[in-house]
Amino acid sequence: FVTSKNSDSDLIAELNEAIVSVTEADPYFQTTLNEKYFAPASRTFVLSDKEEAYIEQAGVLRVGVMSSQPPFQYKDEKTGALKGIGVDLLRDISKTTGLQLAMVEASSWEELYTKAKNGQVDLIAGMPYDYTTARERDLAMSRPYLSSPYTLLMHEEMSEDSIQGKRLALSRTSTYDGYFVGTAVPYDSVDACIRAVNRREADYTYVDTYTAQYYLNLPSFEELKMVPQTYTSYRICFGVVKQGDHILLGLLNKSVLSMDSDDLQSVIYQNIVHKADFSVEYFIQKNPIPVLAAAGCVFLL
């Protein structure tokens, strides 16, 4: 910014302080501006000599994975394998860079953050892109690899105009500390919140659209509906233990920037859409009224 020589010198000082504040709030803001107006991000991934040397001596990096945060990171109930959008992206990054990764399961956010604090994991497959959380947990954040709008999740017969005074299922790890139109009921995870709404123990909850779509694609959650919200989108990133080498964070950022949008969408789709195995239980869940009518006919006969 430029001012005239006759302007108050304090103005320049205030502008400089403002720029520093913006940088502290969003370290990637200036990089984003540069990419937007001068040099669009390159999709070509090339390792530097330092990065190649780091990969050769890094050994196996331990990745903390939450077992109950679908579709971002979760444990498959049938196979017991850890999977999710963040896990699949890291595996792709491993193939591209040559980094060796080993998945370490954690059953809750608190356990995951404790493992990071105790040096039991080197990075986290998915954490909220939130500076307060990163500072409190002493973690460095990569560039966000996914952004998803928030949505209100409730039973289909309810109206979004009727949530005043109703029970809001809220995760204990939520960073929101503002005003609630309903009564907040704490639960251990987003998964527990959604299941509480489905069981009618709570009336509604707020989740990102990808998470909502994952559950709505399951037959047992078909009675829930989404109501789009205008809040700031939920962003998720890789978390890196700060004691680790800064080159790892740089590798992750470079990988995120070089991701192909079609490949990313394919990973998202694979983790949101369920391949339902046909069974009597599944058929009954999908067609409850015809099944009851048929059973009633058989009983009458």
Side-chain angles (χ1 to χ4, degrees):
F1 297 109
V2 180
T3 64
S4 68
K5 290 184 178 180
N6 298 327
S7 297
D8 187 352
S9 60
D10 290 341
L11 178 58
I12 287 292
E14 290 177 4
L15 286 170
N16 287 334
E17 289 177 6
I19 292 171
V20 170
S21 297
V22 170
T23 303
E24 288 177 348
D26 185 357
Y28 301 112
F29 182 69
Q30 295 184 36
T31 302
T32 302
L33 291 179
N34 186 69
E35 292 170 352
K36 180 178 180 179
Y37 293 104
F38 297 102
S42 173
R43 297 296 178 187
T44 304
F45 187 87
V46 180
L47 292 172
S48 67
D49 293 339
K50 285 186 177 180
E51 288 169 340
E52 288 181 350
Y54 169 79
I55 293 169
E56 288 180 3
Q57 59 82 36
V60 179
L61 297 175
R62 299 156 298 174
V63 182
V65 181
M66 270 273 288
S67 61
S68 58
Q69 195 203 5
F72 303 110
Q73 46 184 342
Y74 60 100
K75 185 176 181 178
D76 189 287
E77 295 180 357
K78 294 181 179 179
T79 64
L82 294 172
K83 54 191 303 186
I85 297 172
V87 175
D88 289 345
L89 290 179
L90 279 175
R91 285 173 176 151
D92 288 343
I93 291 173
S94 174
K95 293 177 182 177
T96 303
T97 62
L99 284 169
Q100 301 179 63
L101 304 176
M103 305 300 165
V104 179
E105 181 182 345
S107 59
S108 66
W109 281 112
E110 199 57 43
E111 181 184 352
L112 189 60
Y113 290 141
T114 300
K115 286 181 181 293
K117 181 180 179 180
N118 295 338
Q120 294 173 278
V121 297
D122 303 297
L123 65 153
I124 293 173
M127 64 173 284
Y129 188 73
D130 179 73
Y131 289 99
T132 301
T133 301
R135 183 172 59 252
E136 290 176 350
R137 302 297 182 172
D138 200 29
L139 293 167
M141 298 184 297
S142 73
R143 301 270 310 246
Y145 59 78
L146 205 61
S147 178
S148 176
Y150 274 102
T151 186
L152 187 151
L153 206 59
M154 58 169 56
H155 268 272
E156 57 185 3
E157 70 270 13
M158 284 187 63
S159 168
E160 59 270 25
D161 299 326
S162 64
I163 63 174
Q164 185 78 31
K166 299 292 185 179
R167 299 165 297 178
L168 164 64
L170 188 69
S171 170
R172 298 184 195 277
T173 58
S174 172
T175 57
Y176 180 74
D177 57 358
Y179 172 74
F180 294 104
V181 297
T183 303
V185 182
Y187 289 89
D188 290 335
S189 64
V190 172
D191 175 81
C193 290
I194 296 173
R195 294 182 184 278
V197 173
N198 197 46
R199 294 193 300 267
R200 298 179 183 273
E201 293 176 2
D203 298 303
Y204 69 103
T205 188
Y206 293 103
V207 296
D208 67 274
T209 305
Y210 288 134
T211 299
Q213 196 61 60
Y214 171 89
Y215 283 92
L216 290 180
N217 285 337
L218 295 170
S220 54
F221 292 89
E222 285 183 341
E223 293 184 359
L224 301 182
K225 70 174 181 179
M226 296 190 298
V227 181
Q229 304 294 297
T230 58
Y231 305 120
T232 302
S233 295
Y234 174 73
R235 294 186 291 175
I236 192 165
C237 64
F238 301 121
V240 179
V241 176
K242 280 192 174 180
Q243 292 80 1
D245 198 304
H246 69 279
I247 296 179
L248 174 59
L249 184 61
L251 274 169
L252 293 174
N253 285 332
K254 182 184 289 189
S255 300
V256 171
L257 284 170
S258 64
M259 283 180 185
D260 182 81
S261 57
D262 291 337
D263 292 341
L264 176 59
Q265 194 58 48
S266 176
V267 170
I268 294 171
Y269 179 82
Q270 291 171 11
N271 283 281
I272 289 179
V273 177
H274 308 277
K275 293 181 180 179
D277 296 326
F278 181 83
S279 64
V280 174
E281 180 183 1
Y282 176 75
F283 182 80
I284 293 174
Q285 287 178 337
K286 294 290 288 184
N287 307 277
I289 296 176
V291 169
L292 287 174
C297 291
V298 172
F299 177 76
L300 288 174
L301 289 172

